Amino acid sequence: MAAQVISGTEVARAIENDLRQQVSELRSKSPHFQPRLAIVQVGGREDSNVYIRMKLKAAENIGIVAEHIRLPRDCTQTELLTKLTYLNESPQVHGIIVQMPLDSEHQIDSHLITDAVFSHKDVDGLNTENEGRVSIGDFSGFVPCTPAGCVELIKRTGVTIAGKNAVVLGRSRIVGTPVAELLKWENATVTVCHSKTKNLSEITKTADILVVAIGRAEMVRGSWIKPGAIVIDCGINPIPDLTKKSKQRLVGDVAYEEAAKVASYITPVPGGVGPLTVAMLMRNTVLAARRQLERQLRPTWGLQTLRLAPLTPPLSDIVIARSQKPKHIAKLAEEIGLYPNEVSQYGTTKAKISLSVLDRLSAQRGGKYIVVAGITPTPLGEGKSTTLLGLVQALCAHRGRNAFACMRQPSQGPTFGVKGGAAGGGYSQVIPMEDFNLHLTGDIHAVTAANNLLAAQMDARIFHELTQKDGPLYDRLVPKIKGVRKFSPIQLRRLKKLGINKTDPDSLTDEERTKFARLNIDTNKIMWNRVVDLNDRYLRKVTIGQSPTEKGFTRETAFDISVASEIMAILALGKNVEDIKERLANMVVALDKSGNPVTADDLGVTGALMVLLRDALEPTLMQTLEGTPVLVHTGPFANIAHGCSSILADKIAMKLAREDGYVATEAGFGSDIGMEKFFDIKCRASGDVPHCAVIVSTVRALKMHGGGPAVSAGQPLHDVYVQEDLELLGKGLCNLGKHISNGRKFGVPVVVAVNRHGNDTEAELNLVKQYAEQNGAFKAVICNHWAKGGAGALDLADAVIEACDTKSVFDYLYPLNLSIQEKILLIAREMYGAGQVEYTDEVLEKIKTFTEKGYDKLPICMAKTSNSLTGDPTVKGAPTGFTLRINDIFVSVGAGFVVPMCGEISKMPGLPTRPAIYDIDLNTETMEIDGLF
């Protein structure tokens, strides 16, 4: 009886039909998702081209996007590895194969190349890791395609493999060895033969299953085969055949005509193993894509948290921080769903995250959005950042929810001044806290450089206009370069703004040249200061231009602290790179002598600013003490600007946290400043809707609002703050009540976190909790996260989860179409409790000018003391009916808000008599920082 032919073509067709259905199911889960295969070919061998065309056709039939990447024959090993690295790191590519043999003029280690493909993308199954898994019976990776096809063909016969004698002729790492391993794990008794095997034909006669992959045309004769055996022929060899047009035909390693008379089943050549190899490649590609999609869609990250071992009493913040060894940042990034090409590592504990994540996850619904603010604080702070981190540790490490903390980067001003850093405290910190509180990834320095470049360009332009006539000035602005004179793109934008519709520099009239070349900046109406990221009181007023080279053109100016720069606010409020660029271009730095605004774009500096800020556009990934993720980005001054971390960081976090996750972000100071600006400025700019507000309160601060003596940094606390005093505490609860009321006015549930300090009594804590719940809080909970980490904030986490599940009706405090004065009055009355607002004549004149220029449609960013609900830092509690005085007003056009100044708000803090500088040192033996906190 003749052997039955095992048609690889038919089996492959059935597999492809099944895979097509699988791809359809994947796309039903995520409409924008599509499996992608990269086929890398070096050189252009025609036999390789034939195989690649087969793979491309199969991929198209199934619904896989297959890209044929052709590299030239002079491609080097390094160039090939570089290409593979790119494909490995791309989240858009699910499977990678390198077509063998490599047709290169240079020597390339093929084994090195196959191992260079990431094991989870190695759909050929040739990476040593995948081969090793197969050898021990672990099929969680990818099985090599041809061996997998061989086993599939055997199974299609219906013959049971278990218990059979199998002989594999050939021991190559691509076919022979792995097919032997697969048959072994199917419970066959396997013998592997090779070129050195003696009595080869006698051994093959014992085989119930014979797999031949020896690479010699028709080597195995019919007499070598046991009657009734299954014969799988993996060979494909050209032999002469004058009857064919090509003068040759393809045969296998088995003499087919002879074997077919002896065997029970046999594979033809071609049409046998070959189509199954392609089908198995497609199956592996779909499997790789499925695994990635499942990882992307799974409800929780599967985060490996870090265990805490809290001591009582807790040690100093820096000792606690150093007691925990952080996870490698690449591990954390992988856990939360990031891909290598989206992560730029800065050492092992921090990394920049690419904004491309937002494109990749554009269809992903975001998580719940939580803002953490506080009551009116003491100068010591009430633990807002600590509470933020404790909450996220509780949500993520203890409740198993995807949860991010999004924080501002602290300025070095307070770090070396009085306040100290902002990494949290106790067992609720960002680590490494030294990195977090110092240079981090250099974003503030980038803002400093960009801000000062703009200042330098402005002063240089003023100088050149004062010292040059119209003709030479124009010629220097538009010089001939290699005989060609043309406008740069930013100069063309200025021409368009001026209404000059010309592109040839030589075609402008004299009047148009003068109009283009002269900005005519009024040096008495310059609004742009230089910045430095330090507290330096002597820079509050300086005179510049005193060198003889400046020819007497001096002017008075000032330095601000870097985080007060409008550039920092723009980084925080930009929704994407183009939005940030447009905002930078629109920054008004001065008025000209006709009263018209002069912008950064007029000075030609927008592109240069973007270059300096390129890396600062991306948020920085760090972790808490319990190994949960933190995104750190931007640090706008909370008095002058809106005091919140970036929109981009929040958006990335919400995408990565997924629909059932949580993103908690901080707002500077109390609800009257930070939270109001978060809602009315940041949420308005981002379009994101918050689900819950957390108000952090302390017994200490409430006692101060009840009439307790002043609290000063660096000074011992008065006895009333370390002893139980329910009466004093009760008098100050009104401040908490006002902040709860403020949050509720935006239509979101307010959870009060009572941050426990060591001297607080249970009676005091419970009094605060009871008052909060009786005065509008959704819930109030007592927290001990400083001493216990996330375990000390479990009740807070549960309250936040419950609050986020309730239906909220979020709305802004005011519509933008109100006048500037109407918006200011609404904020003053509703957020501060003021009765009326008073303006100086100069402020009223500026408001008139802003209104004429259309700035009245911008939101309001109140610059007010954080130490009181009023404009007077000495007034505590929750007064009502007072008059709020506006003594100055300016506009940040690029950032997109109007800034009324209530009282004296310095944009350049000064160092105190005894700053933290005295305690900070570098241990020259260990190179560790001492005394940071």
Side-chain angles (χ1 to χ4, degrees), residues 403-664:
F404 261 99
C406 290
M407 304 181 69
R408 290 179 292 166
Q409 180 183 347
S411 166
Q412 291 179 163
T415 297
F416 290 101
V418 174
K419 182 178 180 293
Y427 288 96
S428 296
Q429 289 190 60
V430 180
I431 53 174
M433 61 99 81
E434 303 100 309
D435 290 6
F436 179 84
N437 284 309
L438 295 174
H439 305 286
L440 195 60
T441 47
D443 290 358
I444 293 181
H445 303 318
V447 170
T448 302
N451 184 101
N452 293 345
L453 177 65
L454 178 50
Q457 167 68 345
M458 177 178 61
D459 282 314
R461 183 61 173 267
I462 293 169
F463 174 81
H464 292 308
E465 288 188 27
L466 289 170
T467 56
Q468 297 181 52
K469 294 183 179 181
D470 291 353
L473 178 64
Y474 179 79
D475 290 340
R476 288 188 173 98
L477 285 170
V478 196
K480 279 189 177 180
I481 300 174
K482 295 182 179 179
V484 177
R485 191 180 197 188
K486 64 180 181 178
F487 293 114
S488 67
I490 200 167
Q491 288 179 323
L492 290 172
R493 289 205 298 271
R494 173 158 170 77
L495 286 170
K496 185 177 179 180
K497 179 180 176 181
L498 295 171
I500 303 172
N501 298 313
K502 296 178 180 178
T503 58
D504 180 2
D506 293 325
S507 67
L508 270 66
T509 66
D510 289 343
E511 182 182 353
E512 289 171 336
R513 294 184 183 204
T514 300
K515 191 176 179 182
F516 168 82
R518 294 206 174 273
L519 297 179
N520 289 321
I521 291 173
D522 186 341
T523 55
N524 295 314
K525 295 181 180 178
I526 290 174
M527 309 169 192
W528 196 261
N529 292 340
R530 288 167 172 79
V531 298
V532 63
D533 189 36
L534 292 170
N535 291 357
D536 192 344
R537 65 177 64 247
Y538 272 78
L539 294 179
R540 290 172 178 168
K541 189 174 184 180
V542 296
T543 301
I544 61 173
Q546 293 190 8
S547 168
T549 55
E550 273 51 73
K551 302 181 179 180
F553 297 124
T554 62
R555 69 178 180 91
E556 286 189 350
T557 184
F559 275 75
D560 301 333
I561 195 165
S562 295
V563 291
S565 170
E566 185 178 352
I567 293 175
M568 181 65 84
I570 286 171
L571 280 181
L573 289 173
K575 290 184 291 186
N576 51 54
V577 176
E578 279 302 317
D579 184 32
I580 290 172
K581 186 173 185 179
E582 184 177 351
R583 288 171 179 267
L584 291 172
N586 291 336
M587 290 188 300
V588 176
V589 298
L591 299 180
D592 65 17
K593 292 174 182 177
S594 300
N596 299 311
V598 178
T599 66
D601 224 42
D602 291 328
L603 285 162
V605 78
T606 306
L609 299 183
M610 287 295 292
V611 169
L612 284 173
L613 296 170
R614 186 182 65 166
D615 292 340
L617 298 172
E618 299 176 338
T620 300
L621 178 67
M622 296 187 76
Q623 63 192 285
T624 67
L625 278 164
E626 298 191 59
T628 66
V630 179
L631 280 182
V632 186
H633 201 209
T634 72
F637 213 43
N639 296 98
I640 297 297
H642 63 293
C644 305
S645 62
S646 77
I647 286 172
L648 286 171
D650 290 359
K651 284 187 177 293
I652 288 173
M654 283 192 282
K655 293 292 188 182
L656 291 171
R658 302 167 196 166
E659 187 174 357
D660 295 326
Y662 297 84
V663 174

Side-chain angles (χ1 to χ4, degrees), residues 374-378 639 668-676 695 701-702 704-705 731-743 745 771 824-837 862-886 902-903:
I375 62 172
T376 307
T378 68
N639 296 98
F669 300 126
S671 70
D672 55 320
I673 301 181
M675 190 182 73
E676 184 273 321
I695 300 293
L702 293 172
M704 180 191 71
H705 289 294
K731 292 177 181 177
L733 287 170
C734 59
N735 186 269
L736 172 59
K738 177 57 179 167
H739 289 286
I740 295 171
S741 171
N742 284 353
K745 286 173 182 173
Y771 175 89
I824 292 173
L825 182 60
L826 261 175
I827 295 170
R829 283 181 175 172
E830 299 298 323
M831 294 290 104
Y832 312 155
Q836 59 184 355
V837 179
M862 299 290 283
K864 183 184 76 69
T865 178
S866 60
N867 295 323
S868 173
L869 286 167
T870 75
D872 182 349
T874 65
V875 177
K876 305 303 179 185
T880 58
F882 57 88
T883 298
L884 184 72
R885 181 177 174 80
I886 309 296
C902 310

Side-chain angles (χ1 to χ4, degrees), residues 310-466:
L311 299 175
T312 305
L315 304 173
S316 69
D317 289 349
I318 197 165
V319 172
I320 291 172
R322 286 181 182 160
S323 69
Q324 185 70 284
K325 182 173 176 56
K327 288 185 286 189
H328 197 291
I329 201 65
K331 174 64 176 174
L332 176 62
E334 180 184 5
E335 288 176 341
I336 62 177
L338 290 165
Y339 290 85
N341 73 324
E342 297 169 338
V343 180
S344 300
Q345 292 183 42
Y346 283 62
T348 61
T349 57
K350 53 188 183 289
K352 284 286 191 179
I353 305 306
S354 172
L355 303 185
S356 65
V357 174
L358 292 172
D359 295 326
R360 176 170 65 87
L361 299 179
S362 59
Q364 173 69 55
R365 296 186 66 177
K368 306 293 194 304
Y369 199 25
I370 305 149
V371 60
V372 179
I375 62 172
T376 307
T378 68
L380 302 178
E382 308 318 306
K384 181 165 50 63
S385 298
T386 307
T387 302
L388 168 72
L389 294 166
L391 167 62
V392 170
Q393 288 178 168
L395 286 167
C396 196
H398 298 269
R399 290 293 184 247
R401 308 298 182 100
N402 293 353
F404 261 99
C406 290
M407 304 181 69
R408 290 179 292 166
Q409 180 183 347
S411 166
Q412 291 179 163
T415 297
F416 290 101
V418 174
K419 182 178 180 293
Y427 288 96
S428 296
Q429 289 190 60
V430 180
I431 53 174
M433 61 99 81
E434 303 100 309
D435 290 6
F436 179 84
N437 284 309
L438 295 174
H439 305 286
L440 195 60
T441 47
D443 290 358
I444 293 181
H445 303 318
V447 170
T448 302
N451 184 101
N452 293 345
L453 177 65
L454 178 50
Q457 167 68 345
M458 177 178 61
D459 282 314
R461 183 61 173 267
I462 293 169
F463 174 81
H464 292 308
E465 288 188 27
L466 289 170

Side-chain angles (χ1 to χ4, degrees), residues 15-16 18-24 26 33 35-37 59 62-64 94-95 123 142 279-294:
I15 291 172
E16 287 180 12
D18 177 64
L19 292 176
R20 192 183 307 112
Q21 180 62 34
Q22 290 186 40
V23 170
S24 178
L26 293 178
F33 183 83
R36 291 180 179 272
L37 171 67
I62 293 166
I64 296 170
H94 305 112
V123 290
F142 292 110
M280 292 300 105
L281 173 65
M282 298 301 123
R283 178 183 284 180
N284 281 348
T285 301
V286 173
L287 177 59
R290 179 185 298 279
R291 287 172 176 170
Q292 177 175 313
L293 184 61
E294 287 175 349

Side-chain angles (χ1 to χ4, degrees), residues 138-154:
D138 175 3
F139 302 112
S140 62
F142 292 110
V143 177
C145 297
T146 300
C150 292
V151 174
E152 183 70 26
L153 288 170
I154 295 168

